[in-house]
Amino acid sequence: EAIEKINTLKSNPECADIVWHYIGSIQRNKTRDIAEHFDWVQTLERDIIAKRLNDQRPDELPALNVLIQVNIDNEDSKSGCLPAELPALITAIKGYERLQLRGLMIIPAKADTDAFARTKALFDDIKASHPELNAWDTLSMGMSGDMAEAIDNGSTMVRVGTAIFGARD
């Protein structure tokens, strides 16, 4: 669905500056399309997917900006790596020249009142312990219903699709 829209809009000079973000579960058979058409991936959670995105990113495109999706509340129903898995995934991504690691993304549990604060602390700890991550600048937290709280806790990017487009079927 997105690729058709991207191709249509890229041919329009008025839309040439659109920055495309992929948000969603990433299946192995979709990595080539994502690597070729998107500017950002906000839901990277496994090394195998990172390697595929890196290997399939066309040389003529800039490095793909990626955020690691963290399952901050260890919910079975949510995607993302666990906080304890972050060091290994960060190390792997740092080795991929076609990926630019930019930060973290979370979707907290609805009942969690401190997930944003815990994620901000995790983000800051990673930044302090990895000074070589000079592009570590993005904390994608919050959606249409909780964006004010996310911003209050340090979010640099909120996802407001429902507020703009309405609920999806």
Side-chain angles (χ1 to χ4, degrees):
E1 178 183 352
I3 304 251
E4 181 180 337
K5 292 175 184 176
I6 290 170
N7 288 332
T8 298
L9 291 173
K10 279 191 175 180
S11 65
N12 180 339
E14 294 178 8
C15 300
D17 294 334
I18 293 175
V19 176
W20 297 95
H21 289 246
Y22 182 87
I23 300 173
S25 180
I26 303 174
Q27 300 169 344
R28 290 182 195 187
N29 65 338
K30 301 294 183 194
T31 56
R32 182 171 304 282
D33 285 338
I34 294 168
E36 291 176 353
H37 295 282
F38 288 86
D39 303 299
W40 283 76
V41 170
Q42 290 202 25
T43 50
L44 188 56
E45 61 178 318
R46 295 180 293 152
D47 180 34
I48 185 69
I49 299 299
K51 181 173 182 354
R52 289 176 65 89
L53 290 169
N54 179 74
D55 293 348
Q56 295 169 343
R57 184 72 170 173
D59 290 337
E60 69 273 8
L61 293 178
L64 182 63
N65 294 298
V66 296
L67 301 177
I68 297 174
Q69 182 175 359
V70 180
N71 186 342
I72 196 70
D73 295 313
N74 194 17
E75 290 183 280
D76 290 337
S77 63
K78 296 257 175 80
S79 296
C81 73
L82 297 175
E85 299 168 335
L86 273 171
L89 187 53
I90 288 169
T91 298
I93 293 170
K94 285 183 348 185
Y96 298 131
E97 63 185 36
R98 305 296 304 139
L99 301 182
Q100 179 66 62
L101 184 54
R102 299 290 300 267
L104 303 176
M105 182 272 228
I106 66 159
I107 302 172
K110 296 221 183 275
D112 191 344
T113 58
D114 71 341
F116 294 141
R118 287 185 291 120
T119 305
K120 174 66 163 114
L122 184 61
F123 177 85
D124 290 343
D125 288 347
I126 292 167
K127 187 172 187 167
S129 63
H130 291 279
E132 74 281 7
L133 294 175
N134 56 358
W136 188 263
D137 61 359
T138 306
L139 188 52
S140 179
M141 304 189 299
M143 295 185 276
S144 298
D146 58 8
M147 65 181 160
E149 181 183 355
I151 291 167
D152 287 345
N153 282 280
S155 178
T156 63
M157 184 181 293
V158 292
R159 303 172 307 273
V160 293
T162 300
I164 296 169
F165 301 111
R168 290 188 65 138
D169 294 334

